Amino acid sequence: MKIPWPLFLAWKQLFPTQRKVSFFSLLAVVGVALGLNVMIVVVAFMKGFQHKFKEDIIDAQGHARAIPLSRSKDWSKLQKELLSRSEILAVSPYLQGPLLVQKQDYQSVPLSIGIDLSSGPSVLPLDEFLKNGQQRMDAHDAVDVTPVPLSQNLQDDSVFISQYVANRLGVRPGAILRTGQSKSLTDPNLGVRVYAMDYQVPSAEWKLKYLGEGEWILRSIGLNFEEKLRPEGSILDAGPGTPVFEVMSDGMQPEIGAESIYQTFRSSTIEVFSPSMIQRAQANEMIPPKEVRIGGIFEVPWQGFHAESMIGSFRLLEDVRSVNGLCDGMFIKFSPEISTDEEKLHALCEELELPRSVNWAFVPWFVENAWFFDLLKFEEYLMILIMVPIGLVAAFAIAIALMTSVLRKIREIGLLVAMGGARVSVGSIFCLQGFLIGLLGAILGCGLALLFIHYRDAIMSFIVVRIAGDEGKTGVAQFYDFYSLSVPYPWESSESASTFLTFALFSILVSTLAGLIPAWRASRMNPADALRNE
Amino acid sequence: MLYAMNKSLALQASNLSKTFRLGAQELQVLQGINLSLPQSSSLSIRGESGCGKTTLLNLLARIEQADQGELTWGDRVMRCDRSASRDEVAHRASFLGVVYQAYYLIPEIDVLENVTLPAKISREFDASVQDRARSLLDQMGVGNRITQIPGKLSGGERQRVAIARALLNRPKVLLADEPTGNLDERTGEEVMNLLLRACSEEGTSLILVTHNLAFARATDRQTFLSEGRLNEV
Ligand SMILES: Nc1ncnc2c1ncn2[C@@H]1O[C@H](COP(=O)(O)OP(=O)(O)O)[C@@H](O)[C@H]1O
Ligand SMILES: [Mg+2]
């Protein structure tokens, strides 16, 4: 083993022979590690938030929007043209603007988006939004078994509204409650479950009964409805206006005569007016309002999205606004190869814009929301700005400790020179001590950060419960939403790897620099004076 | 005076002078010292406290800069009115061994590591070094303490380790500055005998600074330093 002697002595001063560690080096290494851990964790969390917001924004707005600069009607031509490019997966036109909605005396003016029913769901994850917005009814001896509405529930005579609008108007989508069930159907492997609830299902009582040999019967006394059904796949569908069921029997048969009883509640209706309709109404024209049903309630996780909002079909908005042939913009979804690389996405948007810059602007999501990400970035830099001086304080502590050790070892320093050690080498012992502290601290700190990221939910819950108690926990969790935060490990994302690496190198550099002043002192020492030192 | 016409000199100094300046005050410690040390010989220097013995050793080791004078290590001639060059410092590692009154062992490493340190510094560290260190420690009578740290050794044992360390690189010259100064009489005698025997066995020339007349007499030549001049007695 031919390690240079200054490194050997530096190591031995930190970890002397026959003692496990010196107290100083333990403190210094742990200090560096803790500081590094905090820096990495804070930045990793900030990046996690940025990622989450990024995903939420893309969900709510697509990767980019094409916005017409003049009232041109050539959008369908452009749509075809864009779709012919291999980088573009989907293009969906939309209409957007405020509409007045009304239920009896209650009104709301949601920002309304009309999306193309065929292409819209491929750009906007409507199902996801609907899942977030679902609410269950409370009832006595009945169980709310209403399934999450499907995006197919959006038609030209139905709309999805945000929770806020629903609460304001006091309306709800259709619901189905189970009021009774035979024992053999309660078995989760044998039973039936409500698969879908069309927005047109009327309020009624339904009975679903097993007739044996794979045959079921769905009956509603009030509606005078009766139909025998056999599952297609596992789905029992008696057509529009009826609830759809899924049979869970996994090869086995339920008891003959077993039945389930349900009560359905018809979805509410609301009246929709456009600004132009209101104008015409003011001019005393008789304007029949457009009546639509509530197909579902949605929640968009992106906070920048209007809380008071409504999603309808493109044709519905076209109809109430009487803007035939126009569109307010198009959502564009790119292939992952483009969408994951902001520079490529930006470049492609500019390329698309160039030949038609008079008529269309192509705006990527991060340009449109630059204000928000600038804010997050600002916050991140501010954090770093606060933490770096803290890191420097740690470095001063190391510098002071190493300086004291230089003063304690003046005579040994003189001896090493007398034995033929070059002054630079003697000085470098202290610099190397700083480096070793930084290196070990960096390794330990990265390890701690990995542990923290791995157990982040447990740690956060622990802290939150300590502060807010068990009840407060859900509230805080909702607010910060750290459970859904994705904080990638360094081997999972290059961004995370560079965070780890940057801060690890920073701490190594800073503690090496901290050793530099003592090293300089040591190497400037006159060996004769050093040896005389008492 | 002390010029010997012997061709095989280990060390030779001519006209070494040293003045310390403390503000306006000037203290001329050494005034034109001439000295020559044949190979495998020993020389003792006595003198009152503060007469400049340590300063002279420092000049001979090129640890300190002289006002004037010339110094020869083996066949290397050096001007002493400048600080040691890198090359000279590197050469010192193999040419000179030093032993001080205070032992200056490195406290964080064990005895064997302390003794092998000079080989690491002169980059002559290899497998044989460990064996040599062990045999030197055996020779010094502390062969059974090699895994101890210096803090657990007595003064005499520490000085034995320091002597082994000084001899590790087979230096041509060993400079010993009051090596028994911190030891009681009996221990001092033991250590001194070991030092003298080891030097003659290794063929290392020795310059010994001591207050002890008996130890001084054990060397080939005895000198006395006073008023900046070195006189043979
Ligand atoms: N760096 C220095 N600055 C000023 N005076 C010094 C210095 N080093 C030694 N001296 C003085 O030089 C004289 C000789 O010192 P030294 O060689 O240590 O004497 P000795 O070893 O013979 O006891 C003493 O008077 C001492 O005070
Ligand atoms: Mg002295």
Side-chain angles (χ1 to χ4, degrees):
Chain A
M1 252 203 323
K2 284 230 168 170
I3 50 169
W5 65 273
L7 184 60
F8 169 74
L9 284 184
W11 178 265
K12 284 295 181 181
Q13 294 199 355
L14 294 177
F15 303 99
T17 303
Q18 291 187 7
R19 257 191 302 158
K20 290 270 153 22
V21 276
S22 78
F23 187 60
F24 154 68
S25 40
L26 191 72
L27 278 190
V29 169
V30 170
V32 170
L34 288 178
L36 177 62
N37 171 41
V38 169
M39 286 199 240
I40 291 179
V41 166
V42 167
V43 171
F45 266 64
M46 294 298 298
K47 294 238 194 283
F49 277 120
Q50 283 175 25
H51 269 284
K52 181 169 162 40
F53 288 130
K54 175 181 163 180
E55 273 168 25
D56 291 348
I57 287 174
I58 290 175
D59 281 353
Q61 307 184 337
H63 293 134
R65 286 209 259 188
I67 299 169
L69 300 175
S70 56
R71 302 186 115 239
S72 63
K73 294 194 174 188
D74 62 354
W75 62 265
S76 53
K77 207 178 101 211
L78 178 62
Q79 184 185 17
K80 278 198 200 86
E81 210 177 305
L82 292 175
L83 277 171
S84 68
R85 298 187 68 117
S86 60
E87 308 98 323
I88 295 177
L89 298 183
V91 180
S92 179
Y94 63 87
L95 283 168
Q96 181 177 301
L99 293 179
L100 175 74
V101 293
Q102 177 172 302
K103 177 77 184 179
Q104 285 143 5
D105 292 338
Y106 298 100
Q107 287 160 347
S108 162
V109 188
L111 178 75
S112 307
I113 300 177
I115 58 168
D116 181 32
L117 293 182
S118 58
S119 59
S122 59
V123 181
L124 302 180
L126 286 179
D127 292 318
E128 202 60 33
F129 295 172
L130 290 168
K131 206 188 295 169
N132 293 335
Q134 202 195 16
Q135 278 191 329
R136 297 232 171 258
M137 263 200 237
D138 281 328
H140 282 307
D141 39 306
V143 191
D144 188 343
V145 289
T146 314
V148 176
L150 301 173
S151 56
Q152 290 96 287
N153 244 7
L154 188 64
Q155 293 299 331
D156 290 337
D157 57 350
S158 67
V159 291
F160 294 156
I161 54 175
S162 69
Q163 193 67 62
Y164 181 90
V165 177
N167 291 346
R168 261 195 92 127
L169 301 183
V171 293
R172 47 158 188 74
I176 179 164
L177 272 64
R178 194 179 61 218
T179 51
Q181 191 165 47
S182 304
K183 256 241 170 66
S184 74
L185 289 178
T186 57
D187 187 330
N189 298 318
L190 279 176
V192 288
R193 108 189 151 86
V194 182
Y195 176 73
M197 216 359 229
D198 185 335
Y199 67 97
Q200 286 160 327
V201 176
S203 299
E205 195 187 60
W206 305 81
K207 267 187 194 160
L208 180 69
K209 191 173 185 176
Y210 186 59
L211 300 176
E213 286 168 23
E215 197 174 38
W216 299 73
I217 184 162
L218 180 66
R219 229 182 307 196
S220 171
I221 316 291
L223 295 177
N224 215 351
F225 174 92
E226 184 176 306
E227 191 163 329
K228 285 188 182 169
L229 297 166
R230 283 183 177 280
E232 279 174 45
S234 58
I235 304 295
L236 292 172
D237 189 351
T242 65
V244 181
F245 299 91
E246 184 180 14
V247 181
M248 321 288 276
S249 60
D250 189 16
M252 289 184 291
Q253 303 282 322
E255 223 172 87
I256 292 172
E259 63 177 2
S260 259
I261 306 161
Y262 300 94
Q263 175 71 48
T264 55
F265 298 90
R266 186 161 212 176
S267 59
S268 316
T269 56
I270 54 174
E271 292 172 343
V272 181
F273 304 88
S274 72
S276 67
M277 287 162 81
I278 296 168
Q279 252 172 15
R280 273 152 59 207
Q282 278 169 343
N284 278 334
E285 262 183 73
M286 271 299 291
I287 306 294
K290 180 82 183 167
E291 198 182 68
V292 293
R293 285 199 175 273
I294 306 300
I297 293 176
F298 67 89
E299 208 53 71
V300 179
W302 165 227
Q303 309 292 322
F305 202 87
H306 268 258
E308 193 171 2
S309 53
M310 179 166 92
I311 298 175
S313 75
F314 192 88
R315 238 171 301 155
L316 174 69
L317 260 82
E318 219 176 15
D319 189 14
V320 294
R321 277 171 51 180
S322 8
V323 284
N324 276 328
L326 291 177
C327 89
D328 289 331
M330 289 191 274
F331 296 118
I332 305 173
K333 193 177 173 186
F334 292 93
S335 63
E337 181 196 329
I338 300 290
S339 63
T340 50
D341 185 336
E342 288 179 19
E343 267 169 40
K344 277 191 195 164
L345 180 54
H346 203 162
L348 185 57
C349 280
E350 278 179 353
E351 185 197 323
L352 291 172
E353 189 169 305
L354 208 60
R356 40 184 91 81
S357 59
V358 187
N359 296 325
W360 290 89
F362 287 79
V363 189
W365 64 268
F366 48 85
V367 171
E368 192 166 340
N369 299 285
W371 62 273
F372 181 73
F373 284 91
D374 287 348
L375 208 70
L376 280 185
K377 271 264 181 301
F378 176 71
E379 205 178 330
E380 185 185 332
Y381 290 147
L382 205 66
M383 293 276 201
I384 295 176
L385 212 64
I386 294 168
M387 286 183 304
V388 163
I390 296 175
L392 290 181
V393 169
F396 290 149
I398 294 174
I400 290 168
L402 289 177
M403 196 60 130
T404 345
S405 130
V406 167
L407 296 179
R408 225 164 11 96
K409 295 186 172 300
I410 288 181
R411 302 196 310 178
E412 287 164 35
I413 291 168
L415 176 92
L416 289 169
V417 178
M419 290 201 311
R423 289 187 189 199
V424 179
S425 309
V426 175
S428 69
I429 293 173
F430 298 92
C431 208
L432 285 168
Q433 276 189 61
F435 170 77
L436 287 173
I437 289 169
L439 185 69
L440 295 174
I443 293 168
L444 188 64
C446 287
L448 281 178
L450 288 179
L451 278 181
F452 200 103
I453 290 174
H454 188 252
Y455 292 108
R456 61 182 182 273
D457 289 345
I459 294 172
M460 293 294 269
S461 301
F462 179 81
I463 296 170
V464 167
V465 168
R466 275 323 100 138
I467 296 168
D470 256 322
E471 288 113 71
K473 185 176 150 183
T474 40
V476 176
Q478 239 167 25
F479 186 60
Y480 287 107
D481 208 14
F482 53 79
Y483 286 115
S484 67
L485 214 56
S486 92
V487 182
Y489 293 109
W491 51 87
E492 287 170 349
S493 104
S494 61
E495 190 181 47
S496 165
S498 86
T499 302
F500 271 75
L501 209 64
T502 309
F503 285 108
L505 287 180
F506 172 76
S507 56
I508 294 174
L509 186 74
V510 162
S511 30
T512 309
L513 286 179
L516 216 53
I517 304 163
W520 182 70
R521 271 289 308 257
S523 66
R524 248 181 22 135
M525 222 170 261
N526 176 349
D529 292 343
L531 284 166
R532 266 179 221 282
N533 191 275
E534 280 298 309
Chain B
M1 295 189 290
L2 291 175
Y3 277 110
M5 286 298 111
N6 193 334
K7 270 284 157 205
S8 53
L9 287 179
L11 182 140
Q12 186 177 23
S14 60
N15 201 25
L16 287 181
S17 297
K18 176 72 184 173
T19 311
F20 287 112
R21 283 178 189 81
L22 289 166
Q25 215 181 340
E26 285 201 357
L27 180 68
Q28 182 151 32
V29 183
L30 300 173
Q31 307 179 18
I33 301 278
N34 294 309
L35 181 152
S36 56
L37 183 67
Q39 279 181 6
S40 312
S41 73
S42 57
L43 172 112
S44 62
I45 302 173
R46 288 192 301 130
E48 286 169 18
S49 215
C51 71
K53 305 180 294 293
T54 299
T55 307
L56 176 57
L57 290 193
N58 284 345
L59 293 189
L60 296 177
R62 300 283 286 125
I63 286 174
E64 198 149 32
Q65 191 178 335
D67 302 340
Q68 58 175 42
E70 222 168 63
L71 184 67
T72 312
W73 285 353
D75 49 11
R76 180 185 288 250
V77 183
M78 295 166 286
R79 284 182 59 178
C80 295
D81 56 352
R82 56 196 62 175
S83 57
S85 68
R86 270 174 156 254
D87 195 35
E88 288 164 22
V89 173
H91 187 53
R92 175 160 72 217
S94 53
F95 180 80
L96 270 187
V98 282
V99 177
Y100 294 96
Q101 179 174 352
Y103 327 104
Y104 299 152
L105 298 177
I106 310 279
E108 289 91 357
I109 55 181
D110 68 20
V111 164
L112 189 64
E113 288 164 335
N114 261 288
V115 174
T116 54
L117 193 56
K120 286 190 170 129
I121 292 177
S122 67
R123 301 211 182 79
E124 283 152 19
F125 192 85
D126 55 43
S128 70
V129 167
Q130 299 265 357
D131 296 336
R132 167 148 174 85
R134 267 180 224 198
S135 84
L136 273 172
L137 285 165
D138 278 339
Q139 208 177 328
M140 300 312 292
V142 282
N144 54 343
R145 313 301 297 270
I146 55 170
T147 56
Q148 295 272 8
I149 53 166
K152 300 220 169 123
L153 301 181
S154 72
E157 287 166 334
R158 288 184 205 190
Q159 195 60 295
R160 293 169 202 228
V161 174
I163 292 168
R165 175 175 69 181
L167 290 172
L168 183 85
N169 279 350
R170 301 180 206 278
K172 292 282 170 303
V173 177
L174 183 78
L175 304 179
D177 192 354
E178 298 184 41
T180 58
N182 280 0
L183 304 176
D184 63 77
E185 218 170 304
R186 243 188 56 126
T187 315
E189 224 163 281
E190 277 172 23
V191 168
M192 188 57 77
N193 288 336
L194 284 167
L195 172 65
L196 291 169
R197 188 173 347 129
C199 280
S200 69
E201 275 173 20
E202 298 274 323
T204 300
S205 301
L206 171 70
I207 296 182
L208 173 69
V209 169
T210 180
H211 285 294
N212 187 312
L213 194 59
F215 297 162
R217 289 209 170 118
T219 58
D220 299 340
R221 282 153 65 210
Q222 296 100 50
T223 62
F224 195 88
L225 182 65
S226 74
E227 301 195 336
R229 292 178 195 282
L230 196 59
N231 305 301
E232 195 141 4
V233 287

